[in-house]
Amino acid sequence: MTLGEGVQLVTFVVLSAMAIGFALGVVWAPSIVYSGFLLGGVFLSMAGLYLLLNADFVAAAQVLIYVGAVNVLILFAIMLVNRRYTFAPLKLGWLRNGVTAVVCLGLFALLTAMALNTPWQLEPIQPTSSVLVMGGHFFREYLLPFELASVLLLMALIGAIVLARREFVIPQAGEGDLSLLERARPQLESESERQAELVSTR
Amino acid sequence: MTKAGIDLQLGFETALQNLGLGAGAAHALWMPLPMLLLIIAATLGVMVMTWLERKISAAAQQRIGPNMAGPQGVLIPIADGIKLLTKEDVLPILADPVLFTLGPILVFLPVFLCYLVVPFGQNLLISNIAIGVFFLIATSSVQPIGLLMSGYGSNNKYSLLGGLRAAAQSISYELPLALSVLAVVLMSNGLDTVGIVEQQSGLGILSWNVWRQPIGFVIFLISALAETERIPFDLPEAEEELVAGYQTEYSGMKFALFYLGSYANLLLASLIAAVLYLGGWSFVVPVETIAALAGIPLDNPFLQIGAAALGIVMTMVKAFIFIFLAILLRWTLPRVRIDQLLDLGWKFLLPVSFVNLLLTAALKLAFPTFFGG
């Protein structure tokens, strides 16, 4: 075993252990803030595993998008809404845990079966620039999903702007409890409209 | 610059193999050397920068500045270091000990990882990975997590606000920064830093990217200033509003990590600006032209050593121009408000950088000779 192979094996074991350990920590951590930070650890170890597979661009994109953007936003949201709730213990709470465990185990079994039954291509691939290969695929076979994803992101962006432009308005009398506390800011009236309104009320 | 300059790694490893070591052992002995050298160089750079900051600040305010510790006060950074090392490491009683300790480390580590891809010469960098500048952007995006961690772990309202502001700021300015870098990448047809410098080295100063990417250059400078949290964008630690932001509760070595990290980040941003826009290690006139005029063959060892030294000096000179600019801006511009900061990032810099990217792509299609077709 050469130096490179030994380092690869040790790195693989360490990264896998880290990924599994952090993922368990996300689920078991007592505080949601800890879960958020541990999630970043999971993403980072996944990026390390991608690096081991020679997918350097995917690894960097994983760090940039999942750690640098998604995880930071999750933490941001957690820290802005840091309210402590006291949850009453549920009746049949164990049933919920049991169903979750069954679903997770089923998913795990499914993935294991898939991993064992797929004929993997085991011969080493000639190292080429992964950026060029991915760019080619994006604009040939996967053009439609690529464009659809961009439209989806645009929709999310517009939705976020609509939500962010709402202002807090004190509820008026006659509105039930079901109405939203927040609503869109009323449009400013122009001078002519106000004149017309005044005339009509007289 | 197609012919390779000095290859220290090859020389070192062949020398060790001639002494009777295996190839793997020689490689393993080589690997820590450049890393150690770069850590020392970055730390020295930070020390020089803190001294410069004091001296230039003093000059801007018509003071003398530090003048007792050594000639012209050059020993001030060492005094700083000793002070920070010997101070008591305070852990606030209500702070979260794990997050409080991990935060500064996570702020500090990505900066030093980024130095992996900064080139000082043809072979004078630790690793010429194919995704160079993308690695840089991705690695530096880990920093906000450390900032949030230290802000939350301190259990102090000013710290939390500072950490949140820092994260918001660095997310907002990462986008224009990445887009302006992308325009440069479009012209050089590759993400590796060495390729970007070589693409600019044809005609000396005339072929530097700053002439072809003036808008991108300005966007990069503004965003880099915001990413490094320098005045006018130092809102996360605005002392009039937030005491010291996320650094409020820190002392001793943990504070030193923040301090070192922020200056190392400024040095890194300046080096990257030099590499992306000012031709990296290339001299005003290409070294090949000078050698041809003087009639020295390019494989002359003295010429190669001279060219390598000149490359390092040129990179540092270009980087320190930006550092000087950043320090001067600190005493020139007032701090912006948080809404002005986010307005500038999202409503001005982001659209302008998109336009810059489109313009670069269009020009590349129209004039492939000038814009690296």
Side-chain angles (χ1 to χ4, degrees), chain A residues 5-73:
Chain A
E5 282 172 0
V7 170
Q8 272 187 16
L9 186 70
V10 171
T11 320
F12 175 72
V13 171
V14 169
L15 281 175
S16 313
M18 269 170 64
I20 294 170
F22 283 137
L24 286 178
V26 173
V27 183
W28 281 338
S31 142
I32 192 170
V33 176
Y34 277 125
S35 294
F37 283 124
L38 287 170
L39 191 63
V42 177
F43 290 144
L44 273 181
S45 6
M46 291 304 295
L49 287 175
Y50 286 139
L51 261 190
L52 271 185
L53 295 170
N54 270 340
D56 49 358
F57 185 79
V58 182
Q62 163 95 2
V63 172
L64 180 67
I65 293 166
Y66 283 95
V67 183
V70 172
N71 198 30
V72 169
L73 284 182

Side-chain angles (χ1 to χ4, degrees), chain A residues 14 18 33 35 52 58 60 74 77 96 117 126 129 181 189 201:
Chain A
V14 169
M18 269 170 64
V33 176
S35 294
L52 271 185
V58 182
I74 289 175
R96 185 186 283 198
N117 289 334
Q126 290 303 316
S129 172
L181 275 183
E189 293 174 330
T201 46

Side-chain angles (χ1 to χ4, degrees), chain B residues 294-316:
Chain B
I296 309 170
L298 273 176
D299 48 0
N300 185 334
F302 292 106
L303 176 83
Q304 290 207 346
I305 290 176
L310 185 70
I312 297 174
V313 170
M314 281 316 288
T315 318
M316 293 315 283

Side-chain angles (χ1 to χ4, degrees), chain B residues 114-197:
Chain B
C114 286
Y115 277 96
L116 275 180
V117 292
V118 178
F120 292 91
Q122 184 90 8
N123 291 314
L124 292 173
L125 79 168
I126 294 187
S127 171
N128 184 18
I129 50 179
I131 52 160
V133 280
F134 192 59
F135 169 82
L136 221 127
I137 291 169
T139 313
S140 59
S141 76
V142 178
Q143 229 185 359
I145 292 206
L147 297 173
L148 281 174
M149 210 179 251
S150 47
Y152 181 83
S154 304
N155 208 349
N156 172 331
K157 53 180 176 272
Y158 298 119
S159 298
L160 182 62
L161 279 174
L164 287 177
R165 273 187 183 187
Q169 177 171 332
S170 67
I171 289 182
S172 323
Y173 280 84
E174 224 156 61
L175 293 169
L177 189 86
L179 286 171
S180 60
V181 171
L182 196 59
V184 173
V185 168
L186 258 187
M187 298 200 320
S188 72
N189 295 321
L191 289 161
D192 60 314
T193 41
V194 172
I196 288 172
V197 174

Side-chain angles (χ1 to χ4, degrees), chain B residues 10-309:
Chain B
L10 197 67
F12 183 85
E13 285 182 13
T14 38
L16 277 189
Q17 279 171 38
N18 291 342
L19 284 177
L21 263 94
H27 193 60
L29 273 178
W30 163 259
M31 274 195 293
L33 288 183
M35 300 181 202
L36 206 66
L37 187 69
L38 203 64
I39 288 175
I40 293 170
T43 316
L44 267 179
V46 169
M47 290 168 94
V48 172
M49 278 163 70
T50 54
W51 177 77
L52 272 182
E53 176 111 75
R54 281 159 211 259
K55 276 309 213 190
I56 296 172
S57 307
Q61 301 171 335
Q62 305 198 336
R63 295 184 284 116
I64 297 173
N67 59 348
M68 290 301 195
Q72 292 293 313
V74 284
L75 294 181
I76 271 286
I78 296 170
D80 256 358
I82 294 171
K83 186 189 83 175
L84 285 172
L85 278 172
T86 51
K87 277 216 165 176
E88 186 191 354
D89 187 21
V90 181
L91 181 68
I93 193 160
L94 285 177
D96 189 316
V98 180
L99 295 184
F100 190 75
T101 316
L102 217 55
I105 299 173
L106 270 184
V107 173
F108 170 83
L109 264 186
V111 181
F112 273 77
L113 266 183
C114 286
Y115 277 96
L116 275 180
V117 292
V118 178
F120 292 91
Q122 184 90 8
N123 291 314
L124 292 173
L125 79 168
I126 294 187
S127 171
N128 184 18
I129 50 179
I131 52 160
V133 280
F134 192 59
F135 169 82
L136 221 127
I137 291 169
T139 313
S140 59
S141 76
V142 178
Q143 229 185 359
I145 292 206
L147 297 173
L148 281 174
M149 210 179 251
S150 47
Y152 181 83
S154 304
N155 208 349
N156 172 331
K157 53 180 176 272
Y158 298 119
S159 298
L160 182 62
L161 279 174
L164 287 177
R165 273 187 183 187
Q169 177 171 332
S170 67
I171 289 182
S172 323
Y173 280 84
E174 224 156 61
L175 293 169
L177 189 86
L179 286 171
S180 60
V181 171
L182 196 59
V184 173
V185 168
L186 258 187
M187 298 200 320
S188 72
N189 295 321
L191 289 161
D192 60 314
T193 41
V194 172
I196 288 172
V197 174
E198 281 176 353
Q199 171 258 334
Q200 306 174 50
S201 64
L203 294 170
I205 192 169
L206 292 177
S207 57
W208 290 356
N209 269 342
V210 64
W211 313 121
R212 287 179 281 182
Q213 284 285 334
I215 307 170
F217 182 57
V218 175
I219 294 170
F220 183 88
L221 285 193
I222 297 175
S223 319
L225 219 56
E227 286 276 312
T228 50
E229 289 162 13
R230 300 277 308 181
I231 285 178
F233 303 111
D234 72 332
L235 287 138
E237 46 204 273
E239 61 266 18
E240 292 92 345
E241 306 160 29
L242 294 180
V243 191
Y246 55 85
Q247 304 174 354
T248 307
E249 298 286 354
Y250 284 92
S251 68
M253 210 45 222
K254 287 177 193 143
F255 176 77
L257 283 184
F258 278 129
Y259 194 71
L260 197 60
S262 78
Y263 276 102
N265 208 355
L266 179 61
L267 182 62
L268 178 79
S270 315
L271 283 169
I272 298 302
V275 165
L276 291 181
Y277 294 99
L278 292 184
W281 66 80
S282 49
F283 190 53
V284 181
V285 184
V287 177
E288 287 81 18
T289 320
I290 299 175
L293 281 178
I296 309 170
L298 273 176
D299 48 0
N300 185 334
F302 292 106
L303 176 83
Q304 290 207 346
I305 290 176

